């Protein structure tokens, strides 16, 4: 068996699957994210029960962050400077201490999403894929030739610097950079500017920012597809506007690129919904098997 744990800000999703059939979840549990002691204790109970029943061969964890994903770091698998109260410097290994010697892999939640959508969702069969989430924050997970990208840590493309929309005088609300992408296009900035979900002209402004991210991704890693997920991305009309503005910003620079036809299915919504992360975590576990 392999096990997967997806930790989110409000709930944790745990699953196990047969090693030879990782896409079928054999057992699952959803646990509310409360305190680390309580939540990690619940995760441990689930994992230990399955380990003693038949043995777990590997565990993949996709977690809200920031999380230390550098295996060489002494804090590998720790949630570090999170804004989530009580969770700063939480060592997620504590939940897995009953699995002596079983390999465990850690990745961020958006890394889990790209692995999941690449395994059996909107990017099935594609080796080079980007997953953008636009919600409370903005994050990007990318695989190139099947491997997650990252060196010292996970890339933080949500904070790239971008051109402002000429009709947008909102100062931005990223506590670090003020008007980076996240400071201008994530959920809290939308709420602060417009008092509710984007509609009308606001869609065009939002799409202008997200399209710049798509252009930057296309120009740096040339993915075969971009999956656009997260709560904000469900705004009616937004994905269509992002496709058109991405094409317009590229301005014919990449002749024959699929985005030149906005209906080509190059920028797509996720196919797995909130199941992407858990399937991604199972993929992480799978890569750890001998
Ligand atoms: Zn920022």
């Amino acid at each position: 068996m392999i096990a997967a744990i997806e930790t989110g800000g409000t709930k944790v999703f745990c699953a196990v699957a047969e090693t030879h059939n990782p896409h079928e979840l054999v057992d699952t549990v959803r646990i509310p994210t409360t305190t680390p002691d309580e939540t990690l204790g619940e995760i441990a109970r689930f994992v230990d029960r399955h380990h003693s029943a038949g043995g777990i061969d590997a565990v993949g964890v996709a977690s809200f962050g920031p999380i230390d994903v550098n295996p060489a770091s002494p804090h590998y698998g720790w949630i570090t400077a999170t804004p989530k109260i009580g969770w700063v410097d939480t060592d997620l290994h504590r939940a897995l201490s009953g699995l002596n010697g079983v390999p465990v892999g850690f990745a961020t939640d958006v890394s889990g999403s790209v692995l999941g959508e690449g395994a059996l969702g909107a990017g099935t069969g594609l080796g080079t894929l980007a997953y953008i989430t636009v919600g409370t924050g903005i994050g990007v997970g990318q695989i190139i030739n099947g491997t997650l990208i990252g060196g010292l840590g996970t890339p933080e493309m949500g904070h790239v610097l971008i051109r402002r929309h000429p009709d947008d005088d909102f100062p931005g609300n990223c506590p670090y950079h003020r008007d980076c992408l996240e400071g201008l296009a994530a959920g809290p900035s939308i709420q602060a500017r417009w008092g509710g979900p984007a509609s009308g002209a606001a869609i065009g402004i939002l799409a202008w920012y997200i399209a710049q991210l798509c252009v930057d991704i296309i120009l740096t890693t040339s993915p075969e597809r971009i999956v656009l997920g997260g709560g904000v991305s469900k705004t009616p009309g937004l994905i269509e506007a992002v496709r058109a503005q991405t094409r317009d910003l590229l301005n014919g620079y990449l002749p024959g690129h699929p985005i030149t036809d906005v209906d080509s299915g190059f920028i797509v919504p996720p196919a797995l919904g909130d199941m992407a992360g858990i399937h991604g975590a199972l993929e992480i576990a799978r890569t750890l098997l001998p």
Side-chain angles (χ1 to χ4, degrees), residues 156 158-161 173-183:
E156 290 284 348
H159 293 263
V160 291
L161 307 179
N173 60 3
C174 172
Y176 293 92
H177 320 110
R178 204 166 73 167
D179 61 352
C180 67
L181 176 64
E182 183 169 297

Side-chain angles (χ1 to χ4, degrees), residues 126-174:
L126 303 179
T128 302
L129 182 71
Y131 184 104
I132 300 172
T133 177
V134 185
T136 311
I138 298 181
V140 182
Q142 289 196 75
I143 49 175
I144 296 182
N145 302 325
T147 303
L148 281 173
I149 64 169
L152 294 175
T154 304
E156 290 284 348
M157 282 199 78
H159 293 263
V160 291
L161 307 179
I162 50 170
R163 286 186 203 162
R164 297 187 68 92
H165 192 283
D167 298 334
D168 185 13
D169 59 7
F170 181 67
N173 60 3
C174 172

Side-chain angles (χ1 to χ4, degrees), residues 235-282:
T235 307
L238 183 63
I239 194 165
E240 292 82 1
V242 169
R243 288 176 185 141
Q245 295 213 38
T246 302
R247 176 200 57 196
D248 294 350
L249 284 167
L250 281 165
N251 197 26
Y253 183 66
L254 300 173
H257 190 282
I259 195 62
T260 52
D261 171 8
V262 293
D263 298 320
S264 65
F266 179 74
I267 299 175
V268 296
L272 299 180
D274 61 4
M275 297 299 285
I278 199 74
H279 284 290
L282 284 167

